[in-house]
Amino acid sequence: MKAIIITQPGDSSVLQLQEQPTPKPQAGQVLIRVRAAGVNRSDIHQRQGGYGASPAGQIPGLEVAGTVEQCGPGATRWQVGQAVCALIRDGGYAEYVAVDERHCLPVPTNLDFVQAASLPETVMTVWSTVFGWGHLSAGETLLVHGGSSGIGVTAIQLAKAFGAKVYATAGSDEKCVVCEQLGAVRCINYKREDFEEVLSNIGINVILDMVGGSYTPKNLRLLAMDGRLMFINSMKGADSQIHIPTLMKKRITISGSMLKPRDAEFKAALTAAVEEHVWPLVASGQFKPVVYRTFPLAEAANAQTLLESSEHIGKIILKMPN
């Protein structure tokens, strides 16, 4: 099969299209013929060696959509030929990938493979972080930083669908318009306005933050009593100043999560929860994938470069050769 290999830690030029052995599904796995794969910042972190060991020889990619090609021993849920999308640990930038059958979801009939491939990583991240760990409830208020990112457009739509009021930040007026079209009450262009000043009288219950750095003190001041600050990245600084009396006075909870290293049992339970609670919204059209651009598999380096530029709105997807 054709696959994108990380040849060594580095910039996007270290990604190369190579021939690799087609994986064989093990017990409880299915082999997916990949039709489309999502591109995520975790892939860039992996490419740069951010997960510890050298990534040389690894195939990046956390989410795919395609058809079941083969079922491994004991895998009984899916049939050969069924259209599925899946959350995977890595290996998505390839024509085939073997996946735990419990981490697969049916492709909704109203979506194509490109749209379906845009969902697993973002939907599961938002569901586990905002709703599972952050306990966002109907009637509460959510602030999403990076509102036009793949995570952002997902969080805005899901929070609105479940009865929350959503605010967002983004880096251009165009991105802010999209966030508001998706359901944000207000999106603040952080390059022109101070989001803390704009939202100072709102009282935010949950903040989903992928920025970190100087945003953290502002987030703490914006949070209401019993507010929850949830980190999924720290793109603008891993170290932040925290005013402890503010935490004490407001009983603020600060936490964070990283989906990629979670174990198979957690991901299986998360997949089941998403199928129960989110998939009906996808099927009904209440939640819609937002795909910015597609690239052929061979141009994975260009796709990651675009992602690093932050010019996109929504998801960037790789399409496999026919």
Side-chain angles (χ1 to χ4, degrees), residues 15-31:
L15 300 177
Q16 290 186 8
L17 184 67
Q18 297 182 5
E19 286 289 336
Q20 293 287 310
T22 301
K24 297 183 183 300
Q26 303 302 306
Q29 291 185 330
V30 294
L31 181 67

Side-chain angles (χ1 to χ4, degrees), residues 149-220:
S149 66
I151 293 288
V153 299
T154 300
I156 290 169
Q157 292 187 78
L158 289 184
K160 181 185 179 184
F162 285 101
K165 184 179 293 186
V166 190
Y167 295 87
T169 62
S172 73
D173 290 345
E174 177 190 7
K175 291 179 177 181
C176 286
V177 167
V178 172
C179 291
E180 291 172 358
Q181 290 173 341
L182 291 172
V185 176
R186 172 81 188 276
C187 183
I188 297 95
N189 180 347
Y190 63 81
K191 293 181 180 179
R192 294 198 299 106
E193 294 183 280
D194 185 328
F195 70 86
E196 183 184 6
E197 292 182 6
V198 175
L199 300 175
S200 60
N201 295 320
I202 300 298
I204 306 294
N205 301 109
V206 179
I207 297 177
L208 181 62
D209 188 21
M210 59 189 75
V211 181
S214 63
Y215 275 34
T216 303
K218 295 183 178 186
N219 287 335
L220 297 180

Side-chain angles (χ1 to χ4, degrees), residues 23-202:
K24 297 183 183 300
Q26 303 302 306
Q29 291 185 330
V30 294
L31 181 67
I32 298 175
R33 180 191 176 194
V34 179
R35 302 291 297 276
V39 179
N40 294 284
R41 291 195 180 274
S42 177
D43 306 338
I44 296 169
H45 193 58
Q46 178 185 7
R47 186 198 76 208
Q48 295 169 337
Y51 289 108
S54 171
Q58 296 178 2
I59 303 172
L62 293 177
E63 57 187 347
V64 298
T67 53
V68 176
E69 184 83 3
Q70 183 182 348
C71 297
T76 59
R77 179 176 180 188
W78 307 100
Q79 302 297 316
V80 171
Q82 277 189 281
V84 296
C85 58
L87 178 71
I88 56 180
R89 187 177 179 87
D90 53 27
Y93 292 18
E95 292 181 309
Y96 292 92
V97 65
V99 183
D100 187 323
E101 68 167 353
R102 301 172 299 169
H103 301 167
C104 297
L105 291 158
V107 173
T109 56
N110 56 333
L111 301 188
D112 59 27
F113 287 118
V114 167
Q115 293 170 316
S118 76
L119 296 181
E121 194 273 340
T122 54
V123 169
M124 292 190 196
T125 296
V126 170
W127 185 258
S128 62
T129 304
V130 175
F131 295 92
W133 201 242
H135 302 292
L136 181 70
S137 302
E140 289 193 317
T141 302
L142 171 70
L143 171 59
V144 181
H145 292 303
S148 61
S149 66
I151 293 288
V153 299
T154 300
I156 290 169
Q157 292 187 78
L158 289 184
K160 181 185 179 184
F162 285 101
K165 184 179 293 186
V166 190
Y167 295 87
T169 62
S172 73
D173 290 345
E174 177 190 7
K175 291 179 177 181
C176 286
V177 167
V178 172
C179 291
E180 291 172 358
Q181 290 173 341
L182 291 172
V185 176
R186 172 81 188 276
C187 183
I188 297 95
N189 180 347
Y190 63 81
K191 293 181 180 179
R192 294 198 299 106
E193 294 183 280
D194 185 328
F195 70 86
E196 183 184 6
E197 292 182 6
V198 175
L199 300 175
S200 60
N201 295 320
I202 300 298

Side-chain angles (χ1 to χ4, degrees), residues 2 4 17 34-39 65 92-95 112-115 117 291 293-300 303 316-322:
K2 292 182 172 61
I4 294 292
L17 184 67
V34 179
R35 302 291 297 276
V39 179
Y93 292 18
E95 292 181 309
D112 59 27
F113 287 118
V114 167
Q115 293 170 316
V291 175
R293 187 174 170 186
T294 63
F295 289 84
L297 177 63
E299 296 181 18
I316 298 167
I317 305 293
L318 297 176
K319 294 179 69 175
M320 303 304 147
N322 292 326

